[in-house]
Amino acid sequence: AAGVIQSPRHLIKEKRETATLKCYPIPRHDTVYWYQQGPGQDPQFLISFYEKMQSDKGSIPDRFSAQQFSDYHSELNMSSLELGDSALYFCASSLDTAEQYFGPGTRLTVT
Amino acid sequence: AQSVTQLGSHVSVSEGALVLLRCNYSSSVPPYLFWYVQYPNQGLQLLLKYTTGATLVKGINGFEAEFKKSETSFHLTKPSAHMSDAAEYFCAVTSKRGTDKLIFGTGTRLQVFP
């Protein structure tokens, strides 16, 4: 069965640079979620999209933005990167249910 | 508002012993509850979920959990631990609306000793 795809899997950036993370949800899933997991921490909700519209927003910095495109893939754009942005970024998708399927994550390292 | 509390950030058991990971939730609406497992440097894998119906839920790898509304608990158990069970376990809650975010607990690291 198709799973959630995230790219890249690993990303190394320097402070003040920009990063773009991509998420391809399971086909026909209409909701995409982004979570951030810092080292040794639990995943924290950033933002979600339902049918290409932002549906909820969590503790996402103003330096971050995201969108969902017509093909339902989503991108998380991160600007003016800080050391504290180093984390594992997960994308999840769902279809009309509360069950979310997670991708393998993108590990972002800011140096 | 919803929240999850996982009691014990670290749990150690011997191989073959009972595993019990505790999770208590707080929710102003009927909750959906989940347990996820995360192996080192990997993503989140769904172990089991409670949505409606039977309160005893069986999941993968021999794990099960029981939803107890009166105790606002959703503890995870496994009768006999295996070395491969060593991982981080997260309890999570969301609402029944279907598009709500997951609220995670702080996680419990399970160690299994031979």
Side-chain angles (χ1 to χ4, degrees), chain B residues 50-57 67 96:
Chain B
Y50 167 78
T51 53
T52 58
T55 56
L56 181 61
V57 180
F67 171 66
K96 289 186 174 181

Side-chain angles (χ1 to χ4, degrees), chain A residues 7 13-14 19 28 33-35 45 52 57 61 86 95 98-101 104 106:
Chain A
S7 68
K13 291 286 186 177
E14 294 186 356
R28 293 182 296 280
Y33 311 79
W34 286 96
Y35 294 86
F45 171 73
K52 292 161 281 185
K57 197 171 183 181
S86 295
L95 174 64
E99 184 169 348
Q100 297 179 23
Y101 295 82
T106 293

Side-chain angles (χ1 to χ4, degrees), chain A residues 30 33 94-101, chain B residues 32 49 97-99:
Chain A
D30 54 15
Y33 311 79
S94 69
L95 174 64
D96 291 339
T97 71
E99 184 169 348
Q100 297 179 23
Y101 295 82
Chain B
Y32 278 4
K49 62 181 179 181
R97 200 176 69 172
T99 56

Side-chain angles (χ1 to χ4, degrees), chain B:
Chain B
Q2 296 178 305
S3 66
V4 169
T5 301
Q6 290 185 241
L7 298 176
S9 58
H10 290 81
V11 170
S12 298
V13 299
S14 299
E15 191 172 23
L18 172 71
V19 175
L20 171 61
L21 305 182
R22 299 180 187 273
C23 173
N24 288 90
Y25 71 91
S26 174
S27 179
S28 57
V29 297
Y32 278 4
L33 294 158
F34 304 82
W35 275 99
Y36 285 87
V37 61
Q38 186 176 33
Y39 297 99
N41 299 312
Q42 294 191 26
L44 295 163
Q45 182 182 7
L46 180 65
L47 270 180
L48 49 79
K49 62 181 179 181
Y50 167 78
T51 53
T52 58
T55 56
L56 181 61
V57 180
K58 295 186 184 298
I60 61 172
N61 301 338
F63 284 93
E64 63 182 38
E66 186 171 10
F67 171 66
K68 292 187 177 180
K69 185 177 179 180
S70 61
E71 299 178 7
T72 61
S73 68
F74 191 58
H75 301 330
L76 181 70
T77 60
K78 182 174 181 178
S80 178
H82 193 271
M83 296 294 289
S84 61
D85 293 327
E88 187 86 21
Y89 291 80
F90 291 99
C91 182
V93 64
T94 189
S95 75
K96 289 186 174 181
R97 200 176 69 172
T99 56
D100 277 355
K101 59 184 176 288
L102 284 168
I103 305 294
F104 287 88
T106 51
T108 298
R109 181 166 298 279
L110 176 65
Q111 287 185 302
V112 182
F113 293 100

